[in-house]
Amino acid sequence: MKTGSRRNSWELISPDLCRERELAAQGLALVAGLDEAGRGAWAGPVVAAAVILPLHQHDIEALLDGVRDSKQLTARQRDILYPRILQVALAVGVGG
């Protein structure tokens, strides 16, 4: 992929916490990650979530292994990962 090019929507993305840690290093106390799933208001229901993670926790990536964009996960994978996210997160908000 060329530098500066956009990712294709089908491309799997391995998330990391680099941007969140950059923001925390700039003095932000809490940084929320956001995601949404659904077809949009015109085509069906949408669910959105915001999660604040303990960025200082050294094993956070290992604890959240497998967490990806919701569209890259099966319903079963989301069901398995949801309680793990709730257990690790400082705060979670879900709405639909």
Side-chain angles (χ1 to χ4, degrees), residues 17-95:
L17 297 172
C18 291
R19 182 67 179 138
E20 289 83 353
R21 287 193 170 113
E22 286 174 11
L23 293 169
Q26 293 175 20
L28 296 174
L30 300 172
V31 179
L34 308 170
D35 193 19
E36 52 73 30
R39 300 207 176 255
W42 62 273
V46 174
V47 174
V51 178
I52 298 174
L53 297 173
L55 299 175
H56 62 279
Q57 190 168 335
H58 72 282
D59 61 346
I60 190 73
E61 284 91 349
L63 291 171
L64 296 175
D65 185 46
V67 174
R68 301 281 179 273
D69 183 305
S70 62
K71 292 170 230 35
Q72 296 176 354
L73 299 171
T74 66
R76 178 168 157 63
Q77 289 170 318
R78 288 190 297 270
D79 289 343
I80 291 169
L81 292 169
Y82 184 65
R84 192 179 327 160
I85 293 168
L86 292 178
Q87 185 177 25
V88 171
L90 298 175
V92 175
V94 180

